[in-house]
Amino acid sequence: MAFLTTFAHDTWVILNESAPYVLLGFFVAALVKTFVPDDFVVRHLGKESWSSVFKASILGVPLPLCSCGVIPAATGLRKQGASRGATTAFLISTPETGADSIAVTWALLDPVMTIMRPLAAFVTASVAGLLANVIPEKKSEAPAFETIFPMAEKPAPHTHDSHDNCSCSDSDAGCGCSSGCGCHSTTEEMKSTPLAKRFKGGMEFAFGEMLSDIGVWLLGGILVAGLIGALIPDGFFTEMLGGEWTSLLVMLVFGVPLYVCATASTPIAASLALKGLSPGAALVFLLAGPATNAATIAVVSRVLGKKAVSIYLGSIAICSLGLGWLTNKIYASLGMDITSWVRETHIDEVTPFSIVCVVVLLALVFRSLRKKHVH
């Protein structure tokens, strides 16, 4: 009975703390979809240069794509003509962080980690992309012109009706979710479409497709966080993984095979931190978990080649460990205790506003599940 009480309490508190920021993150994702056309991304990633790698790393940070939705997007970028390095960088920075996960990081962790997480994603993606560009490209095979997502041979203008009623199947997306397979916008189409209609489309994407893709994973992550709070005693990681590098390596091994999106990984990392996990080890988990899974590795091998897989995994592993170590040093230099870094900012409080946000979030998730079941 004590276990169930603790589990229910921790889950409810985490849900209340994260719900307002999750909704805020989805709203920001809607704004990105509203104002950033798909072909803008393609134009800036199509050159074989270090600048395209940095652009891919930067553009991938706020983009509203989960670890599954980034697969068809990256495949389309590669077929569109993006360099191997830019594609690799995009594959890493996009799932490791995003507008929604950054907002949840602020809610459940602290301001320092909120800054370190996207910065670390950019560095990791850039290193991997620059190394991937070293692999010689086969110039003989020119990539076919396709849209950013590999659904069609050519981008065709959308009428207002088709934009309002666009849909796709999971098979069209090439992955187990619908993210990345909605209507695609070019700069010309965006200029000719009224702002209100574009905003409506962005809201439908963020609170429809995107929420459908990661909503269940987010709730699952919150439930796992509640279980961690109920099962693992305080100070567990400090006692069991006292060595700094030991905790970093354990989180790397734990995160690499785990299939978890950036948003869902955040409450898990917060719960682990409350049990004594250092901020550096938490960052390793936040980087390695979302960026590495069987589906992504398979796509990297098929689209970029087997050598790119080694660069992809090696860069994530080495950069995660190095940045995790650096993060611990930053916290120490700021005079923050790395064994209780979340406790000082963790707000164990439920307010009427947070309850409303929880109800709205759960209603949206269940609505998306109902739509999936109906279709």
Side-chain angles (χ1 to χ4, degrees), residues 26-273:
F26 281 124
F27 179 73
V28 174
L31 295 180
V32 172
K33 188 69 174 177
T34 300
F35 294 103
V36 181
D38 295 333
D39 64 345
F40 172 85
V41 179
V42 174
R43 287 199 310 271
H44 288 271
L45 305 186
K47 298 180 181 179
E48 299 176 14
S49 63
W50 60 267
S51 62
S52 68
V53 171
F54 291 150
K55 288 178 181 178
S57 300
I58 293 174
L59 290 173
V61 168
L63 284 184
L65 288 175
C66 64
S67 55
C68 179
V70 72
I71 294 176
T75 303
L77 283 174
R78 179 62 172 164
K79 292 182 178 180
Q80 176 69 22
S83 67
R84 181 183 276 112
T87 306
T88 301
F90 187 82
L91 271 169
I92 292 176
S93 68
T94 304
E96 282 188 339
T97 186
D100 52 330
S101 60
I102 292 173
V104 178
T105 302
W106 176 274
L108 298 181
L109 296 174
D110 69 356
V112 178
M113 186 61 71
T114 304
I115 296 173
M116 287 299 300
R117 186 176 188 178
L119 181 62
F122 168 77
V123 172
T124 304
S126 297
V127 169
L130 292 173
L131 291 176
N133 266 347
V134 175
I135 303 174
E137 291 272 18
K138 294 182 179 180
K139 302 294 184 179
S140 58
E141 297 180 2
F145 185 85
E146 293 184 23
T147 59
I148 185 171
F149 301 107
M151 286 181 57
E153 293 296 327
K154 296 180 180 180
H158 298 289
T159 62
H160 293 325
D161 291 338
S162 65
H163 182 81
D164 290 341
N165 301 297
C166 65
S167 63
C168 68
S169 65
D170 291 345
S171 59
D172 289 333
C175 64
C177 67
S178 60
S179 183
C181 59
C183 292
H184 318 301
S185 58
T186 64
T187 303
E188 290 74 16
E189 291 171 5
M190 186 165 285
K191 290 179 179 179
S192 62
T193 304
L195 177 60
K197 188 175 289 292
R198 285 191 281 125
F199 180 72
K200 178 183 177 182
M203 293 290 288
E204 290 174 349
F205 166 76
F207 291 96
E209 286 185 22
M210 186 181 173
L211 187 80
S212 175
D213 294 338
I214 71 173
V216 174
W217 293 101
L218 171 64
L219 296 182
I222 292 175
L223 289 175
V224 171
L227 284 174
I228 292 173
L231 292 175
I232 299 179
D234 294 341
F236 173 82
F237 289 97
T238 304
E239 297 174 4
M240 300 300 295
L241 302 176
E244 180 178 15
W245 283 102
T246 302
S247 62
L248 296 177
L249 289 169
V250 168
M251 285 298 102
L252 178 64
V253 173
F254 177 63
V256 166
L258 191 66
Y259 189 90
V260 60
C261 68
T263 305
S265 67
T266 309
I268 297 176
S271 293
L272 293 174

